[in-house]
Amino acid sequence: MAFLLNGLMQLHAQDIKVTKFERNFTSLIASMDPVYDNAGEACAVIRFLVRDEGFEIEPNLGVLKRENRIGEVRMWVPVSTKRIIMRHQGAMPLSYEIPVTLESKVTYDAVLEITKAETSANAPNVKFFVGAGYNIMSISGPSLAAGLDFSHHIVELGFIYGVNKTDDWYFYNSNGEVLAAYNYNAIRLSLRYGYDIMASDAFSITPQVGFAYNSISGDAGSNTSSSTYQSASSMSAFGAVRLALALGKNFRLQITPEYDFGLSKSDLCKLVSDNDDTFKSWTDGFNLNVGLMIYF
């Protein structure tokens, strides 16, 4: 959260800019009333043209004379002045290197402006994406995803609708009578976090971790089926690595192998998982997803 807030503050920060610094050939300010430095040399004059009076301007060798006027600040400075520090409330300080060699009794015009800070390489780059694909292993079926890519930090919500089913399961009472008969399929909701350890315009590698909720339901195979055996659920944690290949600017083809670890299981889930490998794989084991991601 701190990283997010810091990034948003950078996006709304302001910069001080010197949009012009040049000699004024028509001004006689510096020559008509010269001011001399401690070495006896006549100063140069810099006219800072500003939109407000909130600027603090500090030449590195000091100021021999200063005049504040509407829309401008005049400073008489030694000709050996090379750098000026400029400050303004709400903006980062600017250390400005004077682009010319100052001359005695010469006036220079400098235009100061406050602008929105440009997004730097360290500022966050936020993208929204959606994805569609197919889960090949574990819960086999179509998948959907949506998330945010925040300067290579990725948070994603996922959904899988499983179409693969278990064999028919029969449950009996103590007299050997059929209480229920079901075959099961599953759906999954997941939340994952990843970070691009290798990100380029063409290819990316993204380790991921996350949690998944697996909802398992049965289709009745008998009119006597009891609802007690119809639904099961489990929670999984997982680690994954996403490999993505760019297809133009906004599209990526991805393949994501992962391994799931069961964290909790309902009683029915425990019972069937111990005896059915397909059912067990929906909570524990390898998983593989392929699909297309679209970035906005």
Side-chain angles (χ1 to χ4, degrees), residues 242-254:
R242 173 167 293 164
L243 310 175
L245 179 67
L247 303 175
K249 182 179 180 180
N250 300 106
F251 297 90
R252 293 184 186 178
L253 184 65
Q254 63 85 14

Side-chain angles (χ1 to χ4, degrees), residues 38-96:
N38 294 334
E41 186 172 10
C43 293
V45 173
I46 305 176
R47 296 172 64 235
F48 295 95
L49 307 180
V50 296
R51 294 183 183 275
D52 62 67
E53 299 179 356
F55 285 95
E56 294 182 6
I57 305 169
E58 301 175 6
N60 68 306
L61 296 181
V63 179
L64 279 300
K65 180 181 177 182
R66 174 182 178 132
E67 291 183 359
N68 293 331
R69 302 193 174 209
I70 297 175
E72 68 177 84
V73 177
R74 298 178 180 180
M75 288 187 175
W76 281 255
V77 299
V79 295
S80 53
T81 300
K82 301 295 183 183
R83 188 177 67 256
I84 305 170
I85 304 297
M86 305 174 190
R87 296 182 175 85
H88 193 283
Q89 184 175 2
M92 295 292 292
L94 173 65
S95 179
Y96 180 73

